[in-house]
């Protein structure tokens, strides 16, 4: 049996990230835009909603004028945000 992550390509476009991992492409673009605005001092850091989102924490690969992400980076981000189930917390 093959798992879904074996089918997913190693380099993902924003559409692929949304399709395979349900991370909104629009949210990623908004976070990257906010990050750029903060760097240019056009937006205050206090005005930013979520400072630890995928668009802030993961560096993209630029190819052909588009953003791409490594599959392992996406999986690492999801794993870092995943909580243990109640059963796993009890059983340790």
């Amino acid at each position: 049996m093959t798992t879904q992550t074996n089918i997913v390509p190693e380099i993902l476009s924003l559409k692929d990230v949304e399709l395979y991992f349900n991370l909104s492409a629009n949210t990623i673009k908004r976070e990257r835009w906010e990050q750029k605005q903060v760097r240019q001092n056009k937006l205050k850091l206090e005005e930013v909603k979520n400072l630890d989102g995928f668009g802030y924490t993961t560096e993209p690969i630029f190819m052909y004028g588009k953003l791409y992400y490594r599959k392992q980076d996406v999986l690492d981000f999801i794993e870092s945000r995943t909580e243990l189930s109640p059963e796993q917390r009890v059983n340790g």
Side-chain angles (χ1 to χ4, degrees), residues 1 4 8-9 11 21 32 38-40 44 51-53 58-59 62 67 71 73 77 79-80 84 87:
M1 279 185 111
Q4 180 182 2
V8 178
I11 302 294
F21 299 104
R32 290 188 46 76
V38 169
R39 285 182 185 158
Q40 294 176 350
K44 295 180 183 175
L51 288 173
D52 64 343
T58 308
E59 284 296 317
F62 293 100
L67 297 176
K71 177 175 79 170
D73 291 343
F77 174 79
E79 184 179 326
S80 70
L84 295 175
E87 182 179 325

Side-chain angles (χ1 to χ4, degrees), residues 31 34 38 45-46 48-53 56-57 81:
E31 289 171 349
E34 286 177 348
V38 169
L45 197 58
E46 297 82 30
V48 177
K49 295 179 185 177
N50 184 9
L51 288 173
D52 64 343
Y56 288 115
T57 58
R81 302 303 191 277

